[in-house]
Amino acid sequence: MSAPHGIAPGPVPVLRSFTFALRAERIKLATLRSLWLPPVLALLFTAGVTTAVGAALGGTEHHLTDDPGVGVHYGLTFGQAAIACFGVLLIGQEFNTRMIDVSLVAVPRPGQLYGAKVVLGALVALGVGAGGTAGAFAGYAATVPGDWEGPAFARSATAGVLYPVLLVVFCLGVTTMLGNLTAALGVLVPTVFLLSPLLGGVSGARQVVQFLPDRAGQYALHYADDPQIAYGHWTGLLIMALWTGAAAYGGLLALRRAR
């Protein structure tokens, strides 16, 4: 199509690019308390609960000191609830209020909108993981003697940083596939925080439960080997990453179909 009379033809600026979508998601994060509060709580729980438990029980509870990875990541058990909620809320609120339709008008390419949410969620979770892990190790090591160097320490610290990232993207993907905030919470909360821990203690179900994303990822946090686990610590983190990748891809396909 030729340009209108008197207007020189030229390239059309791409206003609705990935950068535009990422900037919009950043503004949402900064202005909506429901989005920025869960990462703050996750950071405080991860570092604060570990420090408090280490100071109060670190010298008496052997299960916290026999495997330093259990004690130093104790607060992550509480922090992961807030991290999971953050992953759900990143897109779940828009499904429930139908603002997702408005978002897809502003950013017509679902892949760009979805990618912006994944990148923003992963970056925020990376900050939470790094800050929470550093705070937990510093606070715990100040009161409880342990092995704070060597390969096991490096692996546990790395897993502590990456676990929130994988959990956020996994929850975001599951929420997008379900297309409903309430349904996502109804699936993720019982599975991650109730079903998985409970079945993990049942001998008959343990062989299956150990391959769930949260259980596999948490095994990478530990120092000691568990003869009842069929894989190694790094493999546990890889299993969680595979779950996360599958959920993220499933979410992308679901959003494209919804468009």
Side-chain angles (χ1 to χ4, degrees):
M1 180 181 295
S2 60
H5 180 70
I7 300 178
V12 178
V14 183
L15 298 178
R16 292 164 180 166
S17 63
F18 177 77
T19 305
F20 172 86
L22 186 59
R23 187 183 302 116
E25 294 303 319
R26 179 182 59 80
I27 293 172
K28 290 178 189 176
L29 175 67
T31 55
L32 295 177
R33 183 171 61 179
S34 60
L35 283 182
W36 61 255
L37 187 57
V40 172
L41 292 177
L43 182 60
L44 293 176
F45 283 143
T46 301
V49 172
T50 291
T51 301
V53 169
L57 303 174
T60 58
E61 295 292 332
H62 294 293
H63 75 283
L64 297 177
T65 55
D66 290 344
D67 186 338
V70 174
V72 79
H73 293 295
Y74 191 87
L76 185 58
T77 305
F78 300 87
Q80 71 171 349
I83 279 291
C85 287
F86 174 62
V88 171
L89 290 170
L90 273 172
I91 197 168
Q93 291 184 120
E94 294 183 53
F95 278 120
N96 276 33
T97 60
R98 298 314 307 168
M99 284 299 294
I100 190 66
D101 298 328
V102 178
S103 297
L104 287 170
V105 170
V107 185
R109 295 182 178 178
Q112 289 183 345
L113 175 65
Y114 185 71
K117 291 181 179 294
V118 169
V119 169
L120 181 70
L123 288 175
V124 171
L126 183 63
V128 171
T133 299
F137 270 99
Y140 197 73
T143 56
V144 181
D147 180 10
W148 310 123
E149 59 183 19
F153 162 76
R155 183 196 66 245
S156 181
T158 301
V161 173
L162 295 180
Y163 182 86
V165 178
L166 297 174
L167 184 59
V168 161
V169 178
F170 175 76
C171 291
L172 172 62
V174 171
T175 304
T176 308
M177 284 190 287
L178 294 174
N180 185 282
L181 183 150
T182 306
L185 291 175
V187 170
L188 291 169
V189 170
T191 301
V192 176
F193 306 115
L194 296 175
L195 186 63
S196 180
L198 289 175
L199 292 181
V202 179
S203 57
R206 187 182 298 121
Q207 301 304 317
V208 175
V209 173
Q210 64 178 309
F211 290 98
L212 292 179
D214 60 308
R215 303 298 289 181
Q218 289 170 15
Y219 184 55
L221 303 171
H222 296 182
Y223 278 39
D225 296 328
D226 186 343
Q228 296 182 333
I229 300 296
Y231 47 79
H233 295 283
W234 284 117
T235 304
L237 200 63
L238 176 60
I239 291 172
M240 186 179 185
L242 292 174
W243 275 97
T244 299
Y249 184 64
L252 176 60
L253 295 180
L255 192 61
R256 284 176 173 171
R257 287 196 298 269
R259 185 68 181 89

